[in-house]
Amino acid sequence: MRTTGRQLSSWAVFALLLSVVPTQADAFELSAGISLGWLQAGTIPRLAVGPHAGISWPIQRDILFTVHDLCTILPPTQEDGPGIYNQTSVDIGYAWKDGNISAGPSVAFYVMPACGVTLCGHVAGLAVGGHAQTNAYVAGPLGVSVSVNVDWVGRGSLVLPGYVSVVVVVGPVLRWSAK
């Protein structure tokens, strides 16, 4: 399997973030899950399914620094083929015993079918945007995660000239903590 320069640069940014994050308390929390929801880019919403993961560090008593990744898969339909939408965000959040909430800027890589007002086709590229997520743990480490992502996609595309994409997914989440 070949690794492209783009993949290496993503991992380099992630490693840099890990090295500069203040860790007052030697603790972190990992969370992962599978979500189901909708992605809307252009005029037609699409089913969105995919794994998500995050790592959080406390920077104050209840304030978190969090890195999230959501890899959304758009299953093929009769009209369109499959798509992928991967979004990574760096968030600041608030935590309590049974949950947390966070928000921050994001960057997304996408290759997906989409429809504008007059044209349909495949779009691909990088997009900047914002991310918000909340996790509520209802049975020990098992909980529910809700993620909302907004990105500006389609710049320079005849299919989606300057449109916004919105991804809303909900699903189970599992957390692991280290103190």
Side-chain angles (χ1 to χ4, degrees), residues 85 87 104 106 127-132 148-153 164-167:
Y85 196 89
Q87 184 187 58
S106 66
V128 296
H131 169 267
V148 177
N149 309 289
V150 177
D151 293 297
W152 287 266
V153 300
V164 172
S165 75
V166 178
V167 181

Side-chain angles (χ1 to χ4, degrees), residues 91-107:
D91 298 350
I92 297 295
Y94 178 77
W96 58 95
K97 179 183 174 197
D98 295 325
N100 58 55
I101 188 167
S102 62
S106 66
V107 64

Side-chain angles (χ1 to χ4, degrees), residues 85-128:
Y85 196 89
N86 192 80
Q87 184 187 58
T88 302
S89 67
V90 177
D91 298 350
I92 297 295
Y94 178 77
W96 58 95
K97 179 183 174 197
D98 295 325
N100 58 55
I101 188 167
S102 62
S106 66
V107 64
F109 167 76
Y110 58 94
V111 177
M112 62 183 179
C115 287
V117 174
T118 59
L119 291 174
C120 288
H122 277 78
V123 294
L126 289 171
V128 296

Side-chain angles (χ1 to χ4, degrees), residues 8-153:
L8 287 175
S9 64
S10 298
W11 283 107
V13 169
F14 182 70
L16 178 64
L17 287 172
L18 290 177
S19 67
V20 299
V21 172
T23 54
Q24 272 184 313
D26 292 329
F28 64 92
E29 180 178 291
L30 297 172
S31 63
I34 299 289
S35 294
L36 178 68
W38 295 98
L39 182 140
Q40 171 107 27
T43 58
I44 300 173
R46 295 280 311 263
L47 175 66
V49 179
H52 58 89
I55 185 166
S56 303
W57 297 268
I59 55 176
Q60 292 284 327
R61 182 167 186 236
D62 296 327
I63 306 298
L64 297 175
F65 175 84
T66 305
V67 177
H68 290 283
D69 190 74
L70 172 68
C71 181
T72 303
I73 299 161
L74 305 173
T77 64
Q78 290 179 349
E79 300 85 30
D80 297 318
I84 190 160
Y85 196 89
N86 192 80
Q87 184 187 58
T88 302
S89 67
V90 177
D91 298 350
I92 297 295
Y94 178 77
W96 58 95
K97 179 183 174 197
D98 295 325
N100 58 55
I101 188 167
S102 62
S106 66
V107 64
F109 167 76
Y110 58 94
V111 177
M112 62 183 179
C115 287
V117 174
T118 59
L119 291 174
C120 288
H122 277 78
V123 294
L126 289 171
V128 296
H131 169 267
Q133 182 168 330
T134 186
N135 298 325
Y137 298 99
V138 294
L142 183 61
V144 175
S145 180
V146 177
S147 179
V148 177
N149 309 289
V150 177
D151 293 297
W152 287 266
V153 300

